[in-house]
Amino acid sequence: MKRSTSYVLLRAAVVAIFAVLIGRLWYMQIVQVNAYRAQATVSRLQYRIIQAPRGIFYDRHGTPLVRNVASYDVTITPQNWPTSPARAFSEARLLSSLLHHHPGPLRIQHLVTASPGPPTAPVTVRAGVDLATYRVIQAEDLHLPGVGATQTFTRHYLQSYPWPLSHLLGYVGPIDAATYHQDTTGPWRYQRFTLTDIVGRSELEAVYDHRLHGVNGLQSSEIDAAGDQISPWKTVSPVRPGYGVRLTIGAHFQAQMARDLQAGLAHIGLRQGAAVALNPNNGQVLGMVSLPSYNADLFGESSTPQRTRAIDRIYKDPLHPLVDLTISAGMPPGSIFKVVTATAGLSEGVVTPDTVVNDTGQIQPCPVCPVFHGWKALGPVDMETAIEQSSDIYFYELAGGGPQIPGGGLGPRRLDKWAWLYGLGHTTGIELPGENPGLVPTPHLIQATQHRPWSVGDSYNSGIGQGDNIDTPLQMARVVSTIANGGSLVRPHIVAAITYPNGRRALPGQNFDLVPDIARPHFVQPWVASLIAQGMRLGVDNLYGTSFGEMDPRLHAAGKTGTAEDGNGVVAWWMGFAPYNHPRIAIAVAVPNAAAEGAYVAAPIAGKIMEDYFHLKEPATWVDLVQQKFVGFGQ
């Protein structure tokens, strides 16, 4: 009986086991058939990314500023690379021989095993191979699992020495691990970034990287169980080229501006300087140049000993070519800051246009105070004459008070207020990275950093742009634009539009030039701006003006010179606009470590830049020059 029961239980267990197996088989073959079929299909497909052409920068006229040059790279997809050490080394040795042993087989294996990306992400083994090698790798594609030869693009900037576009456009370089992780997991993952992509590394290339990158395409092909390709590549998702970026600059004027600045600097034995030209009515950047500059192509090229040496020279240059002086280098503005002091004095009612100060060449605010000297004894001057001849004594008294402007003058609070209204002490908001906000000195700042109270001498120095005042050329071009347009603070911008890839039409809502970019409208009263502009006009036109003889009379320019001490020497400045009645260009030029005043260093450079902007030719005779003085531009 016992045996019979055991036998029955055994038979029941066997039946139950077979029932489970049959049920599982039915579930796998009937219920899950589609899932396993899909899995089998996926396992027989391999994918590759096709790099999208990077978007193009265009100038205001639609002229390309950069070109994508076809380049050929050899890559390996780790997922499809042989897992057997012997076979992997054999194929690495074959691939190395096809690449003329650069890199070697051990280096190839290291690149595959040390890849920071997922196994499906291709790794560049060698970039920039020639067309013949590219075709050889393509021909061997079926016999080298995981190896691919792809067409990519290198960036070539359409510029020549002295490299006028580098500080605006920047440069590109291979994507790093951190950027790859960010761009493949964040909102930009639809663009299919790979470890073989190039990305923007500086300036506008970096700021607009995701607009320029485009969407990489996707292709697939079948492979057999051994990993060998058995079908041609087919497009799964097409390539979408990057969008274009149209700038406000003109390519020809930008290049000419750089040549003018370089020639002016070379004339006095210097290499370093900056110039900014704006449309004073809407804030468009017409040109921005910082020298010395650098060849941006070097940073996107394949590594060679020559390239490495060239980049090393850039990094070791004591004048720091990678630094954009127009936005990143804060310098004391000197006498061009008197425009701000004049605005504050007139607007706050501390002086009137008719207030006269007798400039004796020196002033002593109190019996125990030090004597402050002016650059020259100018005699009695009103506001217009003080701007025209750059009277230090007038602006000392206006900023800090004195015998002829009692009551302490403006004082630091009111002067600081107007400096801030002009946008000083803050970044301008231009699209470029690395902008220096500058510095507006305050009593609190002096106490915190220098551990002393504010003095009358601090007010005097601030009033003439010395002491602790720090500004950039772009900020001062913005200041003079305010005077030129009658009292509104523009917001400088260099990007005019984001366009479709061909650059012909702006994307909907991406044409930024339709409306002037005004940050603070009419904050300077028109009569104040007009009075200061007239003083600047006299500075160019009158015999005793600090800019007299430095501007072509046909420009009908107005301007202000500046010479500031910065501890390393003299910074020579000039800022102004033209033509006086209907300004179309406002400009600021700064030359650090100059050996002479702004009138003799910066003013001639600014004048030549404006001549080229208006396409002025040399007058045929002296009589022509005199006659042209009274001829406008026919606005």
Side-chain angles (χ1 to χ4, degrees):
M1 185 71 182
K2 230 180 210 189
R3 293 183 59 189
S4 175
T5 302
S6 300
Y7 180 71
V8 169
L9 290 175
L10 178 61
R11 290 184 62 185
V14 171
V15 170
I17 291 171
F18 273 99
V20 169
L21 291 174
I22 292 170
R24 182 62 180 166
L25 186 61
W26 175 84
Y27 177 79
M28 293 173 62
Q29 292 192 343
I30 305 300
V31 178
Q32 290 287 85
V33 63
N34 291 331
Y36 286 112
R37 183 179 292 124
Q39 182 178 347
T41 302
V42 170
S43 68
R44 293 191 298 112
L45 293 178
Q46 64 175 344
Y47 295 92
R48 71 177 181 184
I49 299 293
I50 305 301
Q51 191 181 91
R54 193 168 176 83
I56 300 298
F57 287 105
Y58 300 92
D59 80 345
R60 65 186 302 113
H61 307 295
T63 303
L65 302 176
V66 64
R67 184 171 67 235
N68 291 323
V69 180
S71 175
Y72 306 103
D73 296 348
V74 177
T75 64
I76 292 176
T77 303
Q79 183 184 46
N80 301 325
W81 186 247
T83 55
S84 164
R87 188 179 176 195
F89 183 77
S90 173
E91 296 203 4
R93 189 166 53 186
L94 172 59
L95 179 59
S96 178
S97 68
L98 295 175
L99 296 176
H100 309 291
H101 305 286
H102 177 63
L106 293 178
R107 175 63 178 166
I108 290 174
Q109 288 190 295
H110 173 74
L111 289 171
V112 175
T113 57
S115 170
T120 56
V123 179
T124 300
V125 174
R126 182 171 169 188
V129 300
D130 57 39
L131 184 58
T133 303
Y134 170 75
R135 287 174 174 166
V136 168
I137 298 297
Q138 276 192 318
E140 296 289 336
D141 208 344
L142 296 176
H143 307 295
L144 289 170
V147 177
T150 59
Q151 178 175 306
T152 58
F153 300 94
T154 57
R155 210 72 160 152
H156 174 58
Y157 299 95
L158 302 179
Q159 60 174 341
S160 57
Y161 184 80
W163 319 119
L165 297 174
S166 296
H167 288 117
L168 301 181
L169 304 187
Y171 56 86
V172 296
I175 193 169
D176 57 35
T179 305
Y180 173 79
H181 177 74
Q182 174 184 320
D183 289 340
T184 53
T185 58
W188 307 107
R189 58 183 178 274
Y190 74 92
Q191 292 185 309
R192 298 193 187 93
F193 281 83
T194 74
L195 289 169
T196 62
D197 279 9
I198 60 169
V199 294
R201 286 295 183 195
S202 71
E203 318 312 337
L204 293 176
E205 286 278 22
V207 174
Y208 289 90
D209 186 54
H210 291 104
R211 293 285 197 171
L212 295 161
H213 181 271
V215 179
N216 288 336
L218 183 66
Q219 292 183 339
S220 69
S221 70
E222 291 182 283
I223 55 175
D224 59 20
D228 294 324
Q229 184 175 331
I230 58 174
S231 73
W233 292 101
K234 296 179 181 178
T235 297
V236 176
S237 181
V239 166
R240 287 164 50 191
Y243 292 123
V245 177
R246 187 168 71 239
L247 306 185
T248 59
I249 65 168
H252 176 77
F253 178 64
Q254 176 74 10
Q256 186 59 51
M257 189 173 175
R259 288 191 290 269
D260 291 341
L261 179 59
Q262 182 192 29
L265 294 173
H267 184 69
I268 54 176
L270 297 176
R271 294 171 51 223
Q272 190 177 42
V276 178
L278 301 179
N279 182 327
N281 304 301
N282 57 23
Q284 290 181 359
V285 174
L286 303 176
M288 278 180 68
V289 177
S290 174
L291 295 180
S293 186
Y294 62 94
N295 182 0
D297 284 354
L298 291 171
F299 292 87
E301 294 175 351
S302 300
S303 181
T304 63
Q306 294 86 349
R307 169 186 176 271
T308 301
R309 286 193 295 270
I311 292 177
D312 192 50
R313 283 194 297 270
I314 292 173
Y315 284 127
K316 291 181 177 179
D317 191 321
L319 297 183
H320 308 293
L322 293 172
V323 176
D324 184 354
L325 299 180
T326 63
I327 63 170
S328 299
M331 296 171 273
S335 289
I336 61 173
F337 187 85
K338 292 173 181 175
V339 167
V340 178
T341 310
T343 304
L346 293 168
S347 301
E348 297 287 343
V350 175
V351 294
T352 70
D354 300 322
T355 299
V356 174
V357 170
N358 185 23
D359 184 343
T360 61
Q362 63 181 32
I363 184 174
Q364 187 175 20
C366 69
V368 295
C369 293
V371 175
F372 288 81
H373 295 274
W375 75 276
K376 182 181 180 182
L378 301 173
V381 293
D382 60 9
M383 176 62 81
E384 275 190 4
T385 309
I387 295 172
E388 169 201 343
Q389 299 184 29
S390 197
S391 168
D392 288 337
I393 305 304
Y394 186 100
F395 286 99
Y396 282 154
E397 290 210 29
L398 178 53
Q404 299 161 96
I405 303 180
L410 281 164
R413 183 181 62 82
R414 289 188 289 188
L415 184 55
D416 291 348
K417 164 191 161 184
W418 282 93
W420 288 325
L421 286 173
Y422 267 108
L424 304 179
H426 302 278
T427 56
T428 67
I430 195 169
E431 300 93 330
L432 294 165
E435 190 176 4
N436 187 338
L439 180 65
V440 175
T442 66
H444 176 75
L445 180 68
I446 293 298
Q447 183 65 58
T449 58
Q450 300 182 24
H451 311 293
R452 62 174 181 82
W454 185 272
S455 68
V456 175
D458 290 314
S459 291
Y460 281 7
N461 282 329
S462 290
I464 66 166
Q466 286 285 177
D468 297 287
N469 286 46
I470 295 294
D471 301 306
T472 67
L474 179 61
Q475 287 176 320
M476 298 316 294
R478 195 185 191 193
V479 167
V480 76
S481 292
T482 301
I483 300 303
N485 66 36
S488 294
L489 185 69
V490 296
R491 182 179 290 106
H493 62 281
I494 195 167
V495 174
I498 307 299
T499 73
Y500 289 100
N502 60 16
R504 294 174 186 168
R505 288 190 301 119
L507 296 174
Q510 298 294 303
N511 191 343
F512 310 123
D513 266 354
L514 295 178
V515 180
D517 201 349
I518 306 299
R520 188 170 290 116
H522 312 298
F523 79 101
V524 177
Q525 298 176 76
W527 72 268
V528 173
S530 177
L531 181 68
I532 294 171
Q534 177 62 19
M536 296 172 69
R537 175 68 174 142
L538 294 173
V540 172
D541 250 17
N542 276 10
L543 178 62
Y544 297 107
T546 54
S547 301
F548 180 77
E550 301 299 338
M551 299 287 132
D552 190 315
R554 295 172 295 173
L555 288 170
H556 295 270
K560 182 75 192 73
T561 57
T563 307
E565 297 177 4
D566 68 349
N568 297 317
V570 169
V571 182
W573 288 88
W574 194 89
M575 72 177 190
F577 57 90
Y580 172 72
N581 289 325
H582 300 284
R584 291 163 53 189
I585 182 173
I587 189 168
V589 174
V591 180
N593 304 310
E597 300 172 356
Y600 306 117
V601 176
I605 294 171
K608 183 63 169 67
I609 290 171
M610 289 193 290
E611 288 172 28
D612 287 325
Y613 181 76
F614 290 111
H615 307 291
L616 297 185
K617 304 297 182 184
E618 290 293 331
T621 65
W622 179 85
V623 175
D624 291 338
L625 182 60
V626 174
Q627 289 176 341
Q628 287 287 351
K629 178 179 174 64
F630 304 101
V631 178
F633 289 106
Q635 311 298 319

